[in-house]
Amino acid sequence: MTDNAANPTAQNAQYSTLSPALAVGDQEPDRNLALELVRVTEAAAIAGGHWVGFGDKNLADGAAVDAMRSLLSTVHFNGIVVIGEGEKDEAPMLYNGERVGDGSGPLCDVAVDPIDGTRLTALGINNALAVLAVAERGTMFDPSAVFYMEKLVTGPEAADMVDLRLPVKQNLHLIAKSKGKKVSQLNVMVLDRDRHKPLIEEIRAAGARTKFIMDGDVAGAIAAAREGTDVDALMGIGGTPEGIVAACAIKTLGGVIQGRLWPTSDEEKQKAIDAGHDLDRVLSTDDLVTSDNCYFAATGITDGDLLRGVRYNKDKVLTQSIVMRSKSGTIRVVDGEHQAHKWESYARIK
């Protein structure tokens, strides 16, 4: 008999034909889950934050993984990691297919990124986050076929106007019109990669400004959808798993993320076709996460456009987190003050 717990694709297939109510059994994730998830991202951020600026991204990531996994075991749900640190043979913890939670409560898909921006953390650069997303079982898009996707993210004003298939200039004019701005006033966030040189030229030729990020396009996507960040859009090619995580947040924020799979080789292209993917299809927010009851939680590790980073002050650790629930449309920014000697013991952080 096949054990689907180690195969997230099989898990999704198992539940994809069920109605949302059946897919989660008799229980749906409820509002109490939100603050439980914040405790998890706080633990990961505090653990990983100890390694900010030390130049070793593996040490930082390892500490955050340990802390996140430890706290996840206390959360009241029956989760399966569908977006994790990798396959079981390459990731000893929080691997794709691993069961997390205390085993009771609702059945959930779980996407983890103990540090979104390990290089940012190692170098002490802005926008590193500890991130966690949860949705009803079988509702997250399976990203296993193609690791990268072309993305377009913007806020609620232009959500029904933009289209990834349109020229960059036209999308920017639509965003500017919807926001009541001039194109020259738009800030477009782009990952600093050689592959984006043509995109950057198009953005600048249209008259808009570019804002580069080294890594961490989950934070960039949320900043593009959230008011008050001075980021109007995110464009370019980034990770497919990060796009799904961001979609869980955008479900609450009311903006839009559109994605189109971007294979990096003929082998990956064929893998996607064999998996039944249409490489010309533009995936919407609802395609990336079909559930209308999903959660997103993040805690800042370094300062950024979205959150303040971890602060260590004598025996206190200060954190800032954001938690969202799409069903209620609730967004909470949580400032935490932790007694270090108690917290480290409680979260089993070394």
Side-chain angles (χ1 to χ4, degrees):
M1 181 176 290
T2 302
D3 181 7
N4 285 341
N7 187 340
T9 303
Q11 280 286 347
N12 283 346
Q14 180 182 353
Y15 289 97
S16 61
T17 59
L18 302 180
S19 69
L22 289 174
V24 296
D26 295 328
Q27 295 174 297
E28 293 183 355
D30 67 18
R31 63 186 180 275
N32 296 323
L33 186 58
L35 294 180
E36 288 195 67
L37 299 181
V38 169
R39 293 190 299 111
V40 176
T41 57
E42 285 175 340
I46 292 170
H50 282 292
W51 298 99
V52 168
F54 274 85
D56 192 325
K57 65 180 184 180
N58 292 327
L59 280 175
D61 193 48
V65 168
D66 286 344
M68 179 170 279
R69 189 170 188 260
S70 175
L71 264 291
L72 268 175
S73 67
T74 70
V75 176
H76 181 65
F77 70 168
N78 186 340
I80 287 186
V81 177
V82 298
I83 299 172
E85 294 290 282
E87 300 303 321
K88 186 175 182 179
D89 58 353
E90 62 188 48
M93 291 190 293
L94 296 180
Y95 55 84
N96 297 344
E98 181 175 356
R99 293 188 180 275
V100 293
D102 67 3
S104 63
L107 303 175
C108 298
D109 283 351
V110 182
V112 300
D113 200 345
I115 299 183
D116 178 44
T118 53
R119 183 166 56 146
L120 304 179
T121 302
L123 299 178
I125 297 174
N126 286 4
N127 282 322
L129 299 174
V131 173
L132 178 63
V134 173
E136 296 169 332
R137 178 69 56 81
T139 61
M140 287 187 183
F141 182 79
D142 180 4
S144 60
V146 181
F147 186 76
Y148 288 103
M149 66 164 47
E150 183 184 1
K151 300 176 189 176
L152 169 61
V153 182
T154 191
E157 303 94 338
D160 296 327
M161 301 175 69
V162 296
D163 192 318
L164 191 57
R165 294 164 291 194
L166 295 175
V168 169
K169 181 177 181 179
Q170 188 172 348
N171 275 321
L172 290 174
H173 277 274
L174 290 169
I175 292 169
K177 181 179 180 180
S178 68
K179 287 175 171 276
K181 291 183 174 185
K182 298 177 180 178
V183 174
S184 61
Q185 296 174 317
L186 296 180
N187 289 314
V188 183
M189 191 165 275
V190 182
L191 274 170
D192 188 6
R193 300 289 188 272
D194 286 342
R195 62 177 178 262
H196 287 149
K197 286 181 180 179
L199 171 63
I200 293 162
E201 290 175 2
E202 287 188 75
I203 293 169
R204 290 172 174 170
R209 298 178 290 183
T210 53
K211 183 172 184 176
F212 292 111
I213 50 174
M214 181 183 291
D215 291 300
D217 64 344
V218 170
I222 295 168
R226 184 161 165 76
E227 294 181 3
T229 62
D230 199 33
V231 178
D232 299 290
L234 176 138
M235 294 182 173
I237 296 158
T240 305
E242 288 83 353
I244 297 163
V245 171
C248 288
I250 291 168
K251 283 270 188 172
T252 303
L253 294 169
V256 66
I257 178 170
Q258 295 181 2
R260 183 162 47 196
L261 296 176
W262 195 77
T264 58
S265 66
D266 289 340
E267 181 183 356
E268 193 175 42
K269 182 177 180 180
Q270 189 59 52
K271 183 180 177 182
I273 293 170
D274 292 343
H277 294 297
D278 179 357
L279 297 179
D280 294 322
R281 180 187 176 193
V282 174
L283 299 164
S284 68
T285 311
D286 288 335
D287 292 321
L288 295 173
V289 185
T290 60
S291 172
D292 288 322
N293 187 19
C294 54
Y295 298 79
F296 173 88
T299 301
I301 297 174
T302 58
D303 290 344
D305 296 286
L306 188 64
L307 294 167
R308 188 180 65 242
V310 181
R311 301 280 195 276
Y312 300 92
N313 183 13
K314 295 183 180 178
D315 191 41
K316 291 183 180 179
V317 182
L318 307 179
T319 59
Q320 188 173 63
S321 306
I322 189 167
V323 60
M324 310 181 196
R325 187 189 185 202
S326 64
K327 188 173 184 178
S328 61
T330 301
I331 302 170
R332 290 185 175 91
V333 176
V334 181
D335 287 307
E337 183 176 304
H338 316 276
Q339 296 293 327
H341 68 283
K342 293 182 178 180
W343 180 256
E344 290 174 3
S345 173
Y346 169 69
R348 304 188 192 98
I349 296 172
K350 297 179 182 179

